[in-house]
Amino acid sequence: MRPMRHQTGGAPVAIVDPCCAAGYDLPDLETGGLGGTEATILRVATALAPRFEITHYQDGRSHRHMSRVGQLRPLQDLDDAENPAVLIVINRWKMAIKLRRRHPDTPIFLWLHVYPGRHNRRMGAALKAACVTVICVSRTHAKEFGAFLGAQDAPCIRVIYNPLDDALQPDDTPRDLDRLLFASSPHKGLAEVFARFAALRQDLPNLTLAVADPGYLRWDAGPVPEGVVSLGSLSHGALIRQMRRALCLFYPQTSFAETFGLVLAEANAVGTPVLVHAGLGANAEIVADADQRVDGHDPAQILDRIRAWRCAPPRVTANPAFRLGLVAEEWAQLLQRATLTRPQMGMV
């Protein structure tokens, strides 16, 4: 049985997410537990839904559902789906190659939110031969991904930023100058953040570190220092309120490279500074103000920056290029052009 289409008048676009453990929808932004990738997909799809006929195929989803982001369907429904005008695959390059064999004339995009591991070096040649365009989420991401593959094997690579809600702005929420915030999964360097925080408290014993863990990955971050407050999994609105209260988003870890770092951009959007390690992943691109970047290996530099901010918190703003309106328009133009062209493939 073929799935019924949601009539919007726009070209049918299939978003294929083979990476998620369970289905997700807009209400999950308010209940918490979503990672930045899923949140980004939902925001972009919501903005595009009035112009395209969007169907999401999600691994772990058990039932079909109609949403403001489009049709939500189990991944296995993809086997019986009508031929879409465009396919967008999340992260899994082998899925993109598999779909190319099934849909030889359909434009396919691999929307990449991660840095591939060394065992994936052959993905470049395969994607190039299959005429799959890769969408990276920052210029840094695209540059490092291209270097990883090598010029000869690199497919077409485009950059479209992850989006910030257009409504995210600073307000008059009073800041607690003794409160730092970590708002990421613990595998993103929380053990190192704990060590840096413990060192800070030797000089600033009144500091607290609030930790908002989305809860999608269990990870041992080691002993929890005194002064740490666990917030658990928060809705997006509750997380933003925590950002507004904090002196800064405290993220001086040196091991996990962000391809974008959505919480970093969101914190700046509401006027909250971000303390990040300079030169790691996309930190310098997303957190453009050099005053927010430190040597995460240097506790003295971190202490100096926190002391300075407690005396005079810096004024920070969002990069306008990250705003949802602009990002959605980039996606819309890309998809519209894609529906007018056919892929010119090598041997798959």
Side-chain angles (χ1 to χ4, degrees):
M1 177 179 177
R2 294 188 181 276
M4 180 181 65
R5 284 184 172 178
H6 177 46
Q7 299 300 321
T8 65
V13 173
I15 299 176
V16 182
D17 190 347
C19 306
C20 51
Y24 53 93
D25 193 2
L26 284 173
D28 295 311
L29 289 172
E30 297 310 315
T31 58
L34 282 186
T37 297
E38 292 84 358
T40 290
I41 294 166
L42 291 173
R43 293 187 184 112
V44 170
T46 302
L48 295 177
R51 301 167 68 173
F52 299 91
E53 181 185 320
I54 297 178
T55 303
H56 300 244
Y57 297 93
Q58 300 172 344
D59 195 20
R61 173 168 287 281
S62 60
H63 63 282
R64 300 175 179 181
H65 176 65
M66 186 64 71
S67 164
R68 285 199 297 119
V69 302
Q71 299 181 71
L72 306 178
R73 297 189 177 276
L75 186 63
Q76 57 266 31
D77 281 8
L78 190 59
D79 294 335
D80 300 320
E82 295 182 13
N83 193 39
V86 181
L87 281 156
I88 302 171
V89 180
I90 309 301
N91 285 339
R92 294 280 175 83
W93 67 273
K94 291 182 179 179
M95 174 63 80
I97 299 300
K98 177 181 177 181
L99 288 172
R100 169 56 72 220
R101 298 189 182 105
R102 193 183 307 166
H103 302 276
D105 300 322
T106 301
I108 299 178
F109 298 95
L110 177 66
W111 193 359
L112 197 63
H113 295 257
V114 297
Y115 290 110
R118 293 180 181 177
H119 61 287
N120 287 314
R121 287 192 184 279
R122 65 189 183 91
M123 68 186 288
L127 291 169
K128 184 177 182 179
C131 198
V132 173
T133 296
V134 179
I135 307 298
C136 290
V137 296
S138 67
R139 293 191 302 273
T140 304
H141 186 203
K143 180 180 179 180
E144 295 189 5
F145 177 60
F148 168 78
L149 297 178
Q152 182 175 350
D153 290 335
C156 179
I157 300 173
R158 291 283 308 271
V159 174
I160 302 182
Y161 285 123
N162 286 343
L164 291 173
D165 191 317
D166 292 332
L168 282 182
Q169 302 287 345
D171 66 9
D172 57 359
T173 300
R175 295 200 183 278
D176 182 343
L177 301 183
D178 288 326
R179 188 176 181 87
L180 314 179
L181 175 66
F182 178 90
S184 295
S185 178
H187 75 285
K188 297 185 177 184
L190 182 56
E192 190 176 4
V193 168
F194 277 166
R196 298 292 174 258
F197 173 69
L200 276 177
R201 274 180 57 94
Q202 294 179 15
D203 293 278
L204 300 170
N206 292 330
L207 286 183
T208 60
L209 173 66
V211 175
D213 176 0
Y216 58 76
L217 180 65
R218 291 185 178 181
W219 193 268
D220 183 7
V224 178
E226 290 187 14
V228 170
V229 179
S230 176
L231 302 176
S233 177
L234 301 177
S235 69
H236 184 253
L239 177 58
I240 295 300
R241 289 191 291 274
Q242 290 290 334
M243 287 180 179
R244 295 186 189 279
R245 290 182 55 200
L247 171 68
C248 70
L249 194 70
F250 190 66
Y251 201 53
Q253 58 86 23
T254 64
S255 58
F256 186 91
E258 297 279 9
T259 55
F260 182 84
L262 184 59
V263 294
L264 312 181
E266 287 180 330
N268 274 187
V270 299
T272 300
V274 176
L275 195 74
V276 294
H277 177 55
L280 179 67
N283 284 354
E285 182 178 354
I286 306 308
V287 184
D289 178 9
D291 187 55
Q292 298 180 77
R293 305 195 301 268
V294 298
D295 180 354
H297 298 289
D298 186 351
Q301 190 176 143
I302 295 171
L303 175 61
D304 288 346
R305 197 62 47 87
I306 293 297
R307 277 177 166 162
W309 287 357
R310 291 175 83 238
C311 294
R315 287 183 171 272
V316 297
T317 58
N319 184 336
F322 303 158
R323 292 296 186 181
L324 178 58
L326 289 177
V327 170
E329 187 58 32
E330 288 188 60
W331 271 107
Q333 291 181 14
L334 178 70
L335 297 177
Q336 287 167 349
R337 287 194 298 268
T339 60
L340 301 176
T341 60
R342 290 169 57 131
Q344 301 296 316
M345 294 178 293
M347 185 171 296
V348 179

